[in-house]
Amino acid sequence: MQPKAVYPDLAGRSVFITGGGSGIGAALTRAFALQGSRVAFVDIALDESEALVESCREDEVEHPPLFIPCDLRDIGALRAAVERAGERHGDITVLLNNAAHDERHAVDRVTPEYWDDRMAVNQRPVFFAAQAVLPQMQRAGGGSIVNFGSVSWKLRQGGMPAYTMAKASIHGLTRGLARDFGKQGIRVNTLVPGWVMTERQLRLWVTPAAEKEIEAGQVLAGRVMPEHIAEMALFLASDAAAMCSAQEFVVDGGWT
Ligand SMILES: NC(=O)c1ccc[n+]([C@@H]2O[C@H](COP(=O)([O-])OP(=O)(O)OC[C@H]3O[C@@H](n4cnc5c(N)ncnc54)[C@H](O)[C@@H]3O)[C@@H](O)[C@H]2O)c1
């Protein structure tokens, strides 16, 4: 689907997306590619990521996205991917820290090792990706970092405390980094998706009872789709958001 808005300053930009191969990330990858950005994305979902690159080629985007297989739990691999993307596309000026995994876990089954693994997926790479792109954004004279939060903890959702803690902590990281990076023209914001109807969410969790919950919670009718999240990410990445930093931008149909 074509994005509703076109941001001329995003054409040719070097954009790095974590978890850009499926779900919301795939909508981000496509939306930025359709703006003419040079997108590099990392993911562990090989088949879906390769299919996405192919489908962007079929859309005849000017710069087909570059897929770099990478497990974000490996910070060395993440750093190498950021370097490679910068070498291929020029200094990265947009970082979308999108990857996460909302695996459910009962409180009594959580071990210290499991807890650390959830942080290694949902929290740690957000900081280390920002650290890795910093020299490139400094060289380029500025940039935009978008960290992905979640309404889950705001809605007091249970069944995944490691995830909700990691997602809540993203707000603190955003506000701290926004201060550290701001003088260098680098904006840092949190994008908070509502309950977004990705294929995975529909397959695993969106039961008829959940549909009723969405209807009761959202003030807007209809469903929040990955493309709605991508529209906000495009705005935050572009110069249209020039004086927006250290804030959270919620796209949840008015639920929270
Ligand atoms: N879908 C929703 O309803 C919803 C709601 C609130 C917040 N969010 C947030 O939006 C973002 C995207 O959500 P989504 O629903 O598309 O998630 P998802 O789980 O469907 O997809 C995330 C992507 O990250 C990749 N990924 C997972 N672990 C990885 C790892 N170790 N290394 C590299 N890549 C990895 C996955 O393969 C996938 O492509 C996340 O930050 C999530 O917390 C989503």
PDB file of all heavy atoms in Angstrom, residues 160-186:
ATOM      1  N   MET A 160       3.288 -11.508  30.561  1.00  0.00           N
ATOM      2  CA  MET A 160       4.597 -11.333  29.919  1.00  0.00           C
ATOM      3  C   MET A 160       5.368 -10.194  30.592  1.00  0.00           C
ATOM      4  O   MET A 160       5.710  -9.198  29.951  1.00  0.00           O
ATOM      5  CB  MET A 160       4.446 -11.091  28.406  1.00  0.00           C
ATOM      6  CG  MET A 160       3.395 -10.090  28.024  1.00  0.00           C
ATOM      7  SD  MET A 160       3.345  -9.843  26.230  1.00  0.00           S
ATOM      8  CE  MET A 160       2.053  -8.603  26.132  1.00  0.00           C
ATOM      9  N   PRO A 161       5.651 -10.355  31.911  1.00  0.00           N
ATOM     10  CA  PRO A 161       6.264  -9.251  32.662  1.00  0.00           C
ATOM     11  C   PRO A 161       7.628  -8.816  32.135  1.00  0.00           C
ATOM     12  O   PRO A 161       7.967  -7.625  32.223  1.00  0.00           O
ATOM     13  CB  PRO A 161       6.375  -9.794  34.091  1.00  0.00           C
ATOM     14  CG  PRO A 161       6.239 -11.277  33.963  1.00  0.00           C
ATOM     15  CD  PRO A 161       5.371 -11.519  32.770  1.00  0.00           C
ATOM     16  N   ALA A 162       8.407  -9.749  31.589  1.00  0.00           N
ATOM     17  CA  ALA A 162       9.728  -9.338  31.068  1.00  0.00           C
ATOM     18  C   ALA A 162       9.543  -8.424  29.866  1.00  0.00           C
ATOM     19  O   ALA A 162      10.272  -7.439  29.695  1.00  0.00           O
ATOM     20  CB  ALA A 162      10.556 -10.563  30.694  1.00  0.00           C
ATOM     21  N   TYR A 163       8.550  -8.741  29.047  1.00  0.00           N
ATOM     22  CA  TYR A 163       8.266  -7.900  27.864  1.00  0.00           C
ATOM     23  C   TYR A 163       7.750  -6.537  28.303  1.00  0.00           C
ATOM     24  O   TYR A 163       8.231  -5.499  27.824  1.00  0.00           O
ATOM     25  CB  TYR A 163       7.242  -8.608  26.978  1.00  0.00           C
ATOM     26  CG  TYR A 163       6.779  -7.820  25.774  1.00  0.00           C
ATOM     27  CD1 TYR A 163       7.533  -7.795  24.600  1.00  0.00           C
ATOM     28  CD2 TYR A 163       5.577  -7.111  25.799  1.00  0.00           C
ATOM     29  CE1 TYR A 163       7.094  -7.073  23.486  1.00  0.00           C
ATOM     30  CE2 TYR A 163       5.130  -6.394  24.687  1.00  0.00           C
ATOM     31  CZ  TYR A 163       5.895  -6.386  23.539  1.00  0.00           C
ATOM     32  OH  TYR A 163       5.455  -5.674  22.432  1.00  0.00           O
ATOM     33  N   THR A 164       6.764  -6.518  29.210  1.00  0.00           N
ATOM     34  CA  THR A 164       6.183  -5.224  29.592  1.00  0.00           C
ATOM     35  C   THR A 164       7.230  -4.357  30.303  1.00  0.00           C
ATOM     36  O   THR A 164       7.260  -3.142  30.115  1.00  0.00           O
ATOM     37  CB  THR A 164       4.914  -5.387  30.463  1.00  0.00           C
ATOM     38  OG1 THR A 164       5.124  -6.384  31.463  1.00  0.00           O
ATOM     39  CG2 THR A 164       3.725  -5.786  29.625  1.00  0.00           C
ATOM     40  N   MET A 165       8.116  -4.981  31.083  1.00  0.00           N
ATOM     41  CA  MET A 165       9.160  -4.178  31.719  1.00  0.00           C
ATOM     42  C   MET A 165      10.108  -3.600  30.667  1.00  0.00           C
ATOM     43  O   MET A 165      10.447  -2.408  30.704  1.00  0.00           O
ATOM     44  CB  MET A 165       9.966  -4.975  32.734  1.00  0.00           C
ATOM     45  CG  MET A 165      10.915  -4.052  33.488  1.00  0.00           C
ATOM     46  SD  MET A 165      11.990  -4.871  34.640  1.00  0.00           S
ATOM     47  CE  MET A 165      13.531  -4.746  33.779  1.00  0.00           C
ATOM     48  N   ALA A 166      10.531  -4.449  29.739  1.00  0.00           N
ATOM     49  CA  ALA A 166      11.449  -3.967  28.699  1.00  0.00           C
ATOM     50  C   ALA A 166      10.808  -2.828  27.908  1.00  0.00           C
ATOM     51  O   ALA A 166      11.450  -1.807  27.620  1.00  0.00           O
ATOM     52  CB  ALA A 166      11.827  -5.115  27.762  1.00  0.00           C
ATOM     53  N   LYS A 167       9.544  -2.983  27.568  1.00  0.00           N
ATOM     54  CA  LYS A 167       8.874  -1.957  26.751  1.00  0.00           C
ATOM     55  C   LYS A 167       8.699  -0.648  27.530  1.00  0.00           C
ATOM     56  O   LYS A 167       8.853   0.438  26.973  1.00  0.00           O
ATOM     57  CB  LYS A 167       7.513  -2.488  26.278  1.00  0.00           C
ATOM     58  CG  LYS A 167       7.634  -3.478  25.150  1.00  0.00           C
ATOM     59  CD  LYS A 167       7.909  -2.743  23.850  1.00  0.00           C
ATOM     60  CE  LYS A 167       8.807  -3.500  22.931  1.00  0.00           C
ATOM     61  NZ  LYS A 167       9.176  -2.736  21.739  1.00  0.00           N
ATOM     62  N   ALA A 168       8.379  -0.741  28.830  1.00  0.00           N
ATOM     63  CA  ALA A 168       8.250   0.481  29.634  1.00  0.00           C
ATOM     64  C   ALA A 168       9.603   1.198  29.710  1.00  0.00           C
ATOM     65  O   ALA A 168       9.671   2.429  29.690  1.00  0.00           O
ATOM     66  CB  ALA A 168       7.744   0.135  31.035  1.00  0.00           C
ATOM     67  N   SER A 169      10.672   0.428  29.777  1.00  0.00           N
ATOM     68  CA  SER A 169      12.008   1.032  29.934  1.00  0.00           C
ATOM     69  C   SER A 169      12.439   1.809  28.688  1.00  0.00           C
ATOM     70  O   SER A 169      13.315   2.672  28.764  1.00  0.00           O
ATOM     71  CB  SER A 169      13.045  -0.046  30.253  1.00  0.00           C
ATOM     72  OG  SER A 169      13.375  -0.811  29.097  1.00  0.00           O
ATOM     73  N   ILE A 170      11.824   1.525  27.566  1.00  0.00           N
ATOM     74  CA  ILE A 170      12.191   2.215  26.320  1.00  0.00           C
ATOM     75  C   ILE A 170      11.958   3.726  26.463  1.00  0.00           C
ATOM     76  O   ILE A 170      12.713   4.542  25.932  1.00  0.00           O
ATOM     77  CB  ILE A 170      11.363   1.655  25.128  1.00  0.00           C
ATOM     78  CG1 ILE A 170      11.610   0.151  24.918  1.00  0.00           C
ATOM     79  CG2 ILE A 170      11.623   2.449  23.845  1.00  0.00           C
ATOM     80  CD1 ILE A 170      13.027  -0.248  24.684  1.00  0.00           C
ATOM     81  N   HIS A 171      10.916   4.092  27.220  1.00  0.00           N
ATOM     82  CA  HIS A 171      10.617   5.523  27.398  1.00  0.00           C
ATOM     83  C   HIS A 171      11.755   6.226  28.132  1.00  0.00           C
ATOM     84  O   HIS A 171      12.116   7.352  27.800  1.00  0.00           O
ATOM     85  CB  HIS A 171       9.298   5.699  28.167  1.00  0.00           C
ATOM     86  CG  HIS A 171       8.115   5.188  27.415  1.00  0.00           C
ATOM     87  ND1 HIS A 171       7.197   6.020  26.829  1.00  0.00           N
ATOM     88  CD2 HIS A 171       7.707   3.926  27.139  1.00  0.00           C
ATOM     89  CE1 HIS A 171       6.273   5.285  26.215  1.00  0.00           C
ATOM     90  NE2 HIS A 171       6.563   4.016  26.400  1.00  0.00           N
ATOM     91  N   GLY A 172      12.313   5.569  29.135  1.00  0.00           N
ATOM     92  CA  GLY A 172      13.431   6.164  29.882  1.00  0.00           C
ATOM     93  C   GLY A 172      14.655   6.305  28.997  1.00  0.00           C
ATOM     94  O   GLY A 172      15.362   7.324  29.046  1.00  0.00           O
ATOM     95  N   LEU A 173      14.903   5.292  28.180  1.00  0.00           N
ATOM     96  CA  LEU A 173      16.058   5.355  27.271  1.00  0.00           C
ATOM     97  C   LEU A 173      15.876   6.498  26.272  1.00  0.00           C
ATOM     98  O   LEU A 173      16.797   7.284  26.025  1.00  0.00           O
ATOM     99  CB  LEU A 173      16.212   4.016  26.532  1.00  0.00           C
ATOM    100  CG  LEU A 173      17.392   3.960  25.565  1.00  0.00           C
ATOM    101  CD1 LEU A 173      18.718   4.056  26.310  1.00  0.00           C
ATOM    102  CD2 LEU A 173      17.351   2.679  24.736  1.00  0.00           C
ATOM    103  N   THR A 174      14.683   6.598  25.707  1.00  0.00           N
ATOM    104  CA  THR A 174      14.408   7.678  24.738  1.00  0.00           C
ATOM    105  C   THR A 174      14.700   9.037  25.348  1.00  0.00           C
ATOM    106  O   THR A 174      15.396   9.874  24.754  1.00  0.00           O
ATOM    107  CB  THR A 174      12.929   7.621  24.286  1.00  0.00           C
ATOM    108  OG1 THR A 174      12.753   6.485  23.437  1.00  0.00           O
ATOM    109  CG2 THR A 174      12.524   8.884  23.523  1.00  0.00           C
ATOM    110  N   ARG A 175      14.193   9.269  26.550  1.00  0.00           N
ATOM    111  CA  ARG A 175      14.326  10.614  27.126  1.00  0.00           C
ATOM    112  C   ARG A 175      15.764  10.915  27.530  1.00  0.00           C
ATOM    113  O   ARG A 175      16.230  12.039  27.397  1.00  0.00           O
ATOM    114  CB  ARG A 175      13.328  10.793  28.275  1.00  0.00           C
ATOM    115  CG  ARG A 175      11.904  10.871  27.712  1.00  0.00           C
ATOM    116  CD  ARG A 175      10.836  11.009  28.759  1.00  0.00           C
ATOM    117  NE  ARG A 175      10.821  12.273  29.463  1.00  0.00           N
ATOM    118  CZ  ARG A 175      10.332  13.425  28.982  1.00  0.00           C
ATOM    119  NH1 ARG A 175       9.849  13.465  27.744  1.00  0.00           N
ATOM    120  NH2 ARG A 175      10.325  14.515  29.715  1.00  0.00           N
ATOM    121  N   GLY A 176      16.476   9.897  28.001  1.00  0.00           N
ATOM    122  CA  GLY A 176      17.885  10.109  28.350  1.00  0.00           C
ATOM    123  C   GLY A 176      18.737  10.354  27.114  1.00  0.00           C
ATOM    124  O   GLY A 176      19.534  11.304  27.065  1.00  0.00           O
ATOM    125  N   LEU A 177      18.548   9.536  26.083  1.00  0.00           N
ATOM    126  CA  LEU A 177      19.353   9.700  24.858  1.00  0.00           C
ATOM    127  C   LEU A 177      18.995  10.992  24.126  1.00  0.00           C
ATOM    128  O   LEU A 177      19.853  11.612  23.491  1.00  0.00           O
ATOM    129  CB  LEU A 177      19.150   8.511  23.911  1.00  0.00           C
ATOM    130  CG  LEU A 177      19.770   7.171  24.320  1.00  0.00           C
ATOM    131  CD1 LEU A 177      19.551   6.132  23.218  1.00  0.00           C
ATOM    132  CD2 LEU A 177      21.256   7.304  24.635  1.00  0.00           C
ATOM    133  N   ALA A 178      17.717  11.381  24.213  1.00  0.00           N
ATOM    134  CA  ALA A 178      17.313  12.628  23.536  1.00  0.00           C
ATOM    135  C   ALA A 178      18.146  13.786  24.067  1.00  0.00           C
ATOM    136  O   ALA A 178      18.559  14.678  23.311  1.00  0.00           O
ATOM    137  CB  ALA A 178      15.823  12.888  23.743  1.00  0.00           C
ATOM    138  N   ARG A 179      18.435  13.784  25.368  1.00  0.00           N
ATOM    139  CA  ARG A 179      19.275  14.836  25.961  1.00  0.00           C
ATOM    140  C   ARG A 179      20.720  14.677  25.482  1.00  0.00           C
ATOM    141  O   ARG A 179      21.376  15.618  25.070  1.00  0.00           O
ATOM    142  CB  ARG A 179      19.190  14.748  27.491  1.00  0.00           C
ATOM    143  CG  ARG A 179      20.110  15.691  28.221  1.00  0.00           C
ATOM    144  CD  ARG A 179      19.790  17.162  27.956  1.00  0.00           C
ATOM    145  NE  ARG A 179      18.595  17.601  28.649  1.00  0.00           N
ATOM    146  CZ  ARG A 179      18.024  18.814  28.476  1.00  0.00           C
ATOM    147  NH1 ARG A 179      18.572  19.676  27.640  1.00  0.00           N
ATOM    148  NH2 ARG A 179      16.939  19.139  29.131  1.00  0.00           N
ATOM    149  N   ASP A 180      21.228  13.442  25.519  1.00  0.00           N
ATOM    150  CA  ASP A 180      22.637  13.227  25.140  1.00  0.00           C
ATOM    151  C   ASP A 180      22.904  13.557  23.673  1.00  0.00           C
ATOM    152  O   ASP A 180      23.979  14.027  23.327  1.00  0.00           O
ATOM    153  CB  ASP A 180      23.036  11.760  25.390  1.00  0.00           C
ATOM    154  CG  ASP A 180      23.148  11.451  26.872  1.00  0.00           C
ATOM    155  OD1 ASP A 180      23.384  12.391  27.662  1.00  0.00           O
ATOM    156  OD2 ASP A 180      22.996  10.272  27.246  1.00  0.00           O
ATOM    157  N   PHE A 181      21.933  13.273  22.806  1.00  0.00           N
ATOM    158  CA  PHE A 181      22.160  13.399  21.365  1.00  0.00           C
ATOM    159  C   PHE A 181      21.626  14.720  20.784  1.00  0.00           C
ATOM    160  O   PHE A 181      21.921  15.068  19.638  1.00  0.00           O
ATOM    161  CB  PHE A 181      21.467  12.258  20.593  1.00  0.00           C
ATOM    162  CG  PHE A 181      22.054  10.873  20.814  1.00  0.00           C
ATOM    163  CD1 PHE A 181      23.077  10.649  21.720  1.00  0.00           C
ATOM    164  CD2 PHE A 181      21.561   9.784  20.096  1.00  0.00           C
ATOM    165  CE1 PHE A 181      23.595   9.367  21.921  1.00  0.00           C
ATOM    166  CE2 PHE A 181      22.078   8.504  20.279  1.00  0.00           C
ATOM    167  CZ  PHE A 181      23.096   8.298  21.199  1.00  0.00           C
ATOM    168  N   GLY A 182      20.770  15.406  21.546  1.00  0.00           N
ATOM    169  CA  GLY A 182      20.025  16.545  20.994  1.00  0.00           C
ATOM    170  C   GLY A 182      20.904  17.653  20.434  1.00  0.00           C
ATOM    171  O   GLY A 182      20.609  18.219  19.380  1.00  0.00           O
ATOM    172  N   LYS A 183      21.994  17.971  21.144  1.00  0.00           N
ATOM    173  CA  LYS A 183      22.861  19.084  20.710  1.00  0.00           C
ATOM    174  C   LYS A 183      23.523  18.765  19.362  1.00  0.00           C
ATOM    175  O   LYS A 183      24.048  19.647  18.697  1.00  0.00           O
ATOM    176  CB  LYS A 183      23.950  19.341  21.757  1.00  0.00           C
ATOM    177  CG  LYS A 183      23.429  19.918  23.065  1.00  0.00           C
ATOM    178  CD  LYS A 183      23.215  21.434  22.957  1.00  0.00           C
ATOM    179  CE  LYS A 183      22.768  22.054  24.274  1.00  0.00           C
ATOM    180  NZ  LYS A 183      21.461  21.602  24.739  1.00  0.00           N
ATOM    181  N   GLN A 184      23.526  17.483  19.005  1.00  0.00           N
ATOM    182  CA  GLN A 184      24.136  17.107  17.722  1.00  0.00           C
ATOM    183  C   GLN A 184      23.089  16.983  16.619  1.00  0.00           C
ATOM    184  O   GLN A 184      23.349  16.397  15.571  1.00  0.00           O
ATOM    185  CB  GLN A 184      24.889  15.792  17.901  1.00  0.00           C
ATOM    186  CG  GLN A 184      25.958  15.930  18.969  1.00  0.00           C
ATOM    187  CD  GLN A 184      26.406  14.599  19.498  1.00  0.00           C
ATOM    188  OE1 GLN A 184      27.143  13.917  18.821  1.00  0.00           O
ATOM    189  NE2 GLN A 184      25.935  14.225  20.664  1.00  0.00           N
ATOM    190  N   GLY A 185      21.897  17.481  16.889  1.00  0.00           N
ATOM    191  CA  GLY A 185      20.855  17.465  15.868  1.00  0.00           C
ATOM    192  C   GLY A 185      20.219  16.091  15.676  1.00  0.00           C
ATOM    193  O   GLY A 185      19.596  15.827  14.643  1.00  0.00           O
ATOM    194  N   ILE A 186      20.373  15.238  16.684  1.00  0.00           N
ATOM    195  CA  ILE A 186      19.775  13.899  16.578  1.00  0.00           C
ATOM    196  C   ILE A 186      18.538  13.856  17.485  1.00  0.00           C
ATOM    197  O   ILE A 186      18.635  14.084  18.693  1.00  0.00           O
ATOM    198  CB  ILE A 186      20.782  12.806  16.996  1.00  0.00           C
ATOM    199  CG1 ILE A 186      22.020  12.882  16.100  1.00  0.00           C
ATOM    200  CG2 ILE A 186      20.130  11.417  16.936  1.00  0.00           C
ATOM    201  CD1 ILE A 186      23.198  12.060  16.599  1.00  0.00           C
TER     202      ILE A 186
END
